[in-house]
Amino acid sequence: MITLYTHATPNGQKASILLEELGLPYRCHALDLVERENLSSEYRRVSPIGKLPAILEQRPDGGTRRLFGSGAILQFYAEETGRLIPVDRNPRAEMLSWLALGISDLGPTALDMFRFSVRAPEKLTYAIDLFKGELIRCYQALEEQLADIDYLAGSYTIADIACFPFIAAARMVRESFFQRYPHLQAWHDRIAARPAVQRGMAMPAQPA
Ligand SMILES: N[C@@H](CCC(=O)N[C@@H](CS)C(=O)NCC(=O)O)C(=O)O
């Protein structure tokens, strides 16, 4: 059984979308970020950096396996199941490149933009302009890539899952801004219509 340590944030949603798409049974442990549960010594045995998402998997042979970081989780389970990952080398190279863009560029830049424009007690124009410019570079690259194809590596893969929650979050707050990216919008709508994506985006479910 897989336990997914998560929270209702884009990085957490990548992992829950993946598990829903693959139909793997899992339970969610919703981390209490207010109480800093993510920095507890117990959780840091699963995620040494104290970030989410992370997974603890009880294996049928009695052993356990941990995975931390959305990139590792996406790649590991796609490889394990042979799904959402192209077999042929060229689409695989393309998929890995867009996966890396989602994990290393889009995600961290979007989080830094949020921190400096919303959370920071002092609004630093330099930082806000820097991260805004970097985000626009990501949006522009995605827009151009999606001009002639439906998904980032041709077919729907973990590269799309790596980027989707950050685009969904940005679009929700800046709907009119995204009108300048019609291909990115169409890609967003295509992915948002998938039932597994809708279930994954709703995780962790609120207690009744
Ligand atoms: N590189 C990591 C980044 C994970 C990350 O930044 N997670 C955020 C939530 S979206 C987090 O754990 N925030 C709590 C904290 O930094 O203390 C990944 O892709 O999973």
Side-chain angles (χ1 to χ4, degrees), residues 163-173 187-188 201:
C163 296
F164 174 78
F166 279 104
I167 298 300
R171 218 187 118 172
M172 210 154 58
V173 287
W187 167 89
H188 167 278
M201 288 294 281

Side-chain angles (χ1 to χ4, degrees), residues 9 11 36 38 51-53 69-70 111:
T9 64
N11 282 314
R36 302 307 253 163
N38 56 314
K51 295 202 178 208
L52 66 98
S70 60
L111 284 179

Side-chain angles (χ1 to χ4, degrees), residues 70-108:
S70 60
I73 292 170
L74 287 173
Q75 200 168 340
F76 182 83
Y77 287 104
E79 280 173 359
E80 179 114 313
T81 58
R83 292 172 54 203
L84 303 173
I85 190 163
V87 176
D88 292 343
R89 300 307 285 164
N90 284 354
R92 197 178 182 102
E94 197 65 12
M95 185 283 288
L96 286 170
S97 303
W98 292 101
L99 176 69
L101 181 140
I103 302 295
S104 319
D105 295 292
L106 178 63

Side-chain angles (χ1 to χ4, degrees), residues 103-176:
I103 302 295
S104 319
D105 295 292
L106 178 63
T109 306
L111 284 179
D112 285 333
M113 180 68 181
F114 174 73
R115 288 175 183 127
F116 279 97
S117 61
V118 178
R119 283 276 171 82
E122 186 191 346
K123 303 293 175 248
L124 294 176
T125 310
Y126 175 80
I128 293 171
D129 288 350
L130 174 73
F131 292 120
K132 188 173 169 194
E134 291 295 304
L135 263 184
I136 287 174
R137 284 172 75 172
C138 290
Y139 297 157
Q140 194 60 41
L142 292 167
E143 173 70 8
E144 287 166 13
Q145 175 69 3
L146 292 164
D148 301 315
I149 52 179
D150 283 351
Y151 298 102
L152 292 169
S155 61
Y156 178 61
T157 68
I158 51 172
D160 300 290
I161 299 177
C163 296
F164 174 78
F166 279 104
I167 298 300
R171 218 187 118 172
M172 210 154 58
V173 287
R174 302 198 66 199
E175 177 78 45
S176 59

